[in-house]
Amino acid sequence: MQSLKVLFLSAEVAPFAKMGGLADVCGSLPKALAALGHDVRVSLPAYGPIEAALSKGEMGIRAHPTTLNVPMGMGLHIPAGVLEATIPGSQVPVYFIAEKKLFGDRWAIYGFKDDAYRFAFFCRAALDFFIAAEGWRPDVVHAHDWHAAPALVWLGTSGLVDPRYASMPTVFTIHNLMHQGTAPWDVFRYLGVLTPKMNEEKPNQVNFMARGILHATMINTVSPTYAREIMTREGGFGLDGLLRYRHFDVHGILNGLDYEVWNPATDPHLPMRFDANNLEARKVNKRALQERAGLPIRDDVPILAFVGRLDPQKGLDILGHPLHLLMNGHAGEVQVVVLGSGWPQYEQMLRHISGFHRDRMTAFIGYDAALAPLIYAGSDVFLMPSLFEPCGLGQLIAMRYGSVPVVRATGGLADTVRSGVTGFTFGPYDWESFWRAICDALWIYRLDPENWRAMQIKGMTSDYSWETSARAYQQIYEWAISRVRGY
Ligand code: ADP
């Protein structure tokens, strides 16, 4: 197998900039590909916290000598710097595009009016850096989600006339089809692209997700079930027709877990480390979690947990009612711990319910990367009633840490949780179905502890490492290359 040069473009890369699963993937898949012998380089913008880490000398971030003068549309040239680091636990280099107004002065990754312009600039600057400045021409450009799609648009249009960029094989990974990156048409002038409108675009509006799907040589999403769902009207968010048109090139590859990061036997955040042969040790973590959450220290009461973005996607609309039932004792004595942040109405709902039942439920509102592992390791049941879920890492981490997941059978949840074997699943998106699945789980937990233990061990020892998935990506890269080169 020939070693490939792969350029990763992403808005998030763990541990440098993370909002969700996208960061986990872009922080761990490159490591797994490098372990297979590929030359992978990763690029993302230098947001405020990255620049701050540079000045404090943290995370191994240092300045790179190159300064760029990025050629944008309309003859515009924008100066930018480059920072570099390596992904921890590997030699994979990471390059940050540093531009103060667009990234360095911004303390969040997204949520600005000019997001499409910011990422258009990032993409053009990254291509300019690797290919024009460094003379490193990748065999494949691997773009992640809409933020990296401007690179595919540029390579598929204006870039075609420049021999340095022409005939570039590309792969586009859809991590979440809901966020499509729509922006005024003007962003194409800024990017330096002249192209006709697509049917998927509203008048005067660009849709970067649609453009990524149009221009990529190969497309994939992060689980086989989600790959099928996005080609249906219900799951396609208006792009199902376009995806069906390209269905021959659309694949589903399950995300893996970075076992160096997510390993209960080595996790530095846990008061007591454990593995599948030593499940008793989980009790210490359970007590620590109860203590941290200010809940009564009780071994005999099951803890149900939720960790995730508080967003309609995560099933918050069917979570409220079962929480009320749980709090009011309809499934016996339980405790609930929630960690998340997001939509204010959901934060409010969780504060409200936990405020009424302080001895049974605690809601940590916010993002806390050090607390999440304790919740996975100390809870008994992990709830993930997602409306849709491209892959989902929460259930994989929960299984790895011995917390049995109760999930809605959609997308990657359907592909990873085996009902009655490693967890509990339900189909219809309604609270009654979710409630029944919770009761099934609690029933087994209380009345059949041996079976429960077997489920925990099955989950902990299932293989969701990156290696298998990295090989599948390698295959997709080869397809992309042979498609472009014609052999
Ligand atoms: P998504 O990418 O849709 O947000 P995933 O399940 O794929 O969902 O990935 C979520 C990741 O983010 C997991 O690693 C989870 O532990 C982490 N996470 C989500 N919310 C929080 C939070 N509030 N605090 C700490 N970690 C969080």
Side-chain angles (χ1 to χ4, degrees):
M1 163 67 229
Q2 160 210 12
S3 162
L4 300 176
K5 289 188 278 178
V6 185
L7 172 58
F8 264 60
L9 299 177
S10 173
E12 299 181 34
V13 178
F16 303 104
K18 171 167 166 174
M19 287 279 288
L22 170 63
D24 290 295
V25 173
C26 293
S28 44
L29 174 57
K31 287 203 277 186
L33 288 165
L36 295 178
H38 302 295
D39 175 3
V40 189
R41 305 189 187 185
V42 179
S43 191
L44 74 158
Y47 309 103
I50 306 281
E51 297 253 15
L54 169 74
S55 45
K56 286 189 230 149
E58 288 169 2
M59 294 206 280
I61 299 174
R62 51 196 188 279
H64 187 279
T66 302
T67 49
L68 304 170
N69 206 14
V70 186
M72 302 299 293
M74 303 173 293
L76 208 63
H77 281 79
I78 302 180
V82 180
L83 311 180
E84 61 179 325
T86 48
I87 295 184
S90 77
Q91 302 291 318
V92 176
V94 181
Y95 298 90
F96 305 87
I97 301 298
E99 207 286 333
K100 215 145 178 50
K101 279 206 220 74
L102 297 175
F103 306 117
D105 290 342
R106 318 280 183 109
W107 285 79
I109 300 175
Y110 320 108
F112 304 100
K113 269 210 184 110
D114 58 349
D115 277 356
Y117 295 82
R118 296 167 68 227
F119 290 109
F121 175 77
F122 157 66
C123 289
R124 187 65 192 88
L127 293 175
D128 189 50
F129 169 63
F130 287 99
I131 300 171
E134 294 280 284
W136 185 78
R137 186 185 152 103
D139 294 310
V140 183
V141 171
H142 189 169
H144 295 265
D145 266 352
W146 77 260
H147 328 98
L152 308 186
V153 179
W154 191 84
L155 288 169
T157 53
S158 307
L160 290 174
V161 297
D162 184 330
R164 292 171 302 177
Y165 299 95
S167 308
M168 183 76 75
T170 57
V171 172
F172 185 46
T173 299
I174 300 169
H175 294 260
N176 193 332
L177 191 66
M178 188 171 78
H179 305 290
Q180 301 190 347
T182 50
W185 191 260
D186 193 42
V187 72
F188 275 164
R189 276 192 279 276
Y190 177 68
L191 183 61
V193 160
L194 199 60
T195 180
K197 183 181 145 329
M198 290 173 69
N199 286 340
E200 285 71 17
E201 288 168 330
K202 297 203 179 97
N204 261 319
Q205 204 181 50
V206 169
N207 181 323
F208 273 121
M209 182 61 91
R211 295 273 163 179
I213 295 167
L214 177 72
H215 285 291
T217 320
M218 299 300 286
I219 300 154
N220 85 292
T221 180
V222 290
S223 69
T225 298
Y226 192 59
R228 286 193 296 277
E229 287 172 352
I230 58 175
M231 287 190 237
T232 65
R233 252 183 96 91
E234 301 73 42
F237 292 99
L239 301 185
D240 45 298
L242 177 64
L243 283 158
R244 282 196 300 273
Y245 167 71
R246 294 220 53 189
H247 74 278
F248 195 69
D249 302 321
V250 178
H251 299 266
I253 302 178
L254 263 185
N255 286 338
L257 255 195
D258 187 335
Y259 279 3
E260 279 165 33
V261 176
W262 297 106
N263 182 355
T266 56
D267 195 323
H269 301 104
L270 304 184
M272 183 73 153
R273 299 181 193 146
F274 62 98
D275 59 26
N277 300 317
N278 180 20
L279 270 181
E280 279 303 293
R282 283 191 96 247
K283 276 198 185 132
V284 177
N285 297 308
K286 180 164 175 174
R287 288 180 201 141
L289 176 60
Q290 285 168 329
E291 196 178 329
R292 174 83 191 265
L295 296 169
I297 313 284
R298 297 266 307 267
D299 289 348
D300 57 322
V301 176
I303 303 182
L304 295 89
F306 175 96
V307 177
R309 289 182 292 115
L310 304 180
D311 180 292
Q313 179 201 331
K314 297 294 172 185
L316 272 294
D317 292 322
I318 59 168
L319 180 64
H321 203 74
L323 279 182
H324 276 297
L325 294 176
L326 285 169
M327 290 299 100
N328 288 309
H330 289 270
E333 269 198 284
V334 296
Q335 296 179 343
V336 172
V337 176
V338 174
L339 168 63
S341 64
W343 286 32
Q345 60 266 49
Y346 298 130
E347 294 187 352
Q348 187 56 28
M349 171 184 90
L350 294 167
R351 280 204 187 97
H352 189 78
I353 303 174
S354 58
F356 260 98
H357 303 277
R358 287 182 199 283
D359 56 337
R360 290 187 183 172
M361 174 169 165
T362 300
F364 295 97
I365 303 298
Y367 188 92
D368 191 336
L371 175 59
L374 182 63
I375 298 182
Y376 290 115
S379 61
D380 299 290
V381 179
F382 190 79
L383 306 175
M384 222 162 149
S386 304
L387 173 61
F388 68 95
E389 194 60 75
C391 176
L393 291 176
Q395 84 283 11
L396 297 181
I397 304 171
M399 286 193 278
R400 180 94 172 129
Y401 281 56
S403 184
V404 176
V406 174
V407 305
R408 180 157 175 266
T410 178
L413 295 172
D415 292 333
T416 54
V417 177
R418 285 185 289 159
S419 202
V421 181
T422 58
F424 299 83
T425 63
F426 65 98
Y429 186 70
D430 54 50
W431 72 263
E432 292 92 339
S433 307
F434 183 28
W435 175 245
R436 271 195 292 275
I438 293 175
C439 291
D440 285 349
L442 292 174
W443 179 265
I444 307 266
Y445 176 87
R446 293 202 175 100
L447 299 180
D448 195 353
E450 224 163 274
N451 191 0
W452 186 263
R453 210 180 139 78
M455 289 179 94
Q456 285 180 296
I457 291 173
K458 269 257 160 48
M460 292 182 77
T461 50
S462 298
D463 182 8
Y464 289 110
S465 64
W466 264 110
E467 202 192 315
T468 319
S469 308
R471 286 188 196 283
Y473 274 101
Q474 178 179 291
Q475 177 69 73
I476 291 225
Y477 296 154
E478 282 166 5
W479 284 333
I481 292 166
S482 57
R483 170 76 59 82
V484 171
R485 295 189 187 153
Y487 55 82

